[in-house]
């Protein structure tokens, strides 16, 4: 039982990270309408809040957080990423938030240390 708990503490928990991302987005945007002049600040707030909340979990990870905010106007967006890592401890989570006027996509990569 102790081995399982120890492994769980060291594992990248996608559901836990996804909840952190969701909370950071929702507390920043709070149903805001897209406004070009506010996007840079929203981006910074979401990334900083996500990192702060993740580090407060005291898990043995280095984190990389990216955030994309895009006006909802019919334009397409295609993105890809690739990582070479130890899948037994490292992981990633993505959360997409959609409102009437924008899309927000946050990616978190957790690299075990």
């Amino acid at each position: 039982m102790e081995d399982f708990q120890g492994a769980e503490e060291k594992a990248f928990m996608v559901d836990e990270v996804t909840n952190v991302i969701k909370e950071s987005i929702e507390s920043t945007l709070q149903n805001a309408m897209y406004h070009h002049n506010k996007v840079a600040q929203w981006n910074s707030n979401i990334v900083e809040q996500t990192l702060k909340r993740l580090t407060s979990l005291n898990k043995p990870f280095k984190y990389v957080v990216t955030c994309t905010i895009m006006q909802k106007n019919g334009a397409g967006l295609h993105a890809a990423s690739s990582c070479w890592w130890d899948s037994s401890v490292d992981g990633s989570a993505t959360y997409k938030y959609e409102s009437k006027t924008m899309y927000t996509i946050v990616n978190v990569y957790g690299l075990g240390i």
Side-chain angles (χ1 to χ4, degrees):
M1 184 71 168
E2 287 179 25
D3 290 338
F4 176 74
Q5 288 176 338
E8 187 174 295
E9 288 176 11
K10 294 179 183 177
F12 186 87
M13 305 299 287
V14 174
D15 291 342
E16 184 176 38
V17 173
T18 301
N19 285 335
V20 167
I21 298 168
K22 182 180 177 190
E23 290 168 7
S24 298
I25 292 172
E26 290 176 351
S27 69
T28 298
L29 298 180
Q30 298 175 358
N31 298 317
M33 300 296 281
Y34 181 88
H35 194 280
H36 176 73
N37 294 335
K38 295 182 179 181
V39 172
Q41 186 61 50
W42 289 338
N43 245 327
S44 294
N45 287 350
I46 291 168
V47 169
E48 290 170 11
Q49 282 186 36
T50 301
L51 276 173
K52 185 177 180 180
R53 290 174 181 181
L54 289 170
T55 56
S56 73
L57 297 174
N58 294 317
K59 301 275 185 156
F61 290 99
K62 290 183 182 180
Y63 295 103
V64 177
V65 180
T66 66
C67 179
T68 302
I69 298 176
M70 180 176 160
Q71 185 176 13
K72 198 174 197 182
N73 61 5
L77 173 67
H78 299 274
S81 64
S82 179
C83 298
W84 184 66
W85 58 24
D86 180 354
S87 60
S88 67
V89 289
D90 303 333
S92 66
T94 300
Y95 183 78
K96 177 184 167 189
Y97 169 88
E98 183 176 346
S99 71
K100 291 180 181 180
T101 61
M102 70 182 121
Y103 298 105
T104 303
I105 303 164
V106 175
N107 297 298
V108 172
Y109 303 92
L111 309 168
I113 51 175

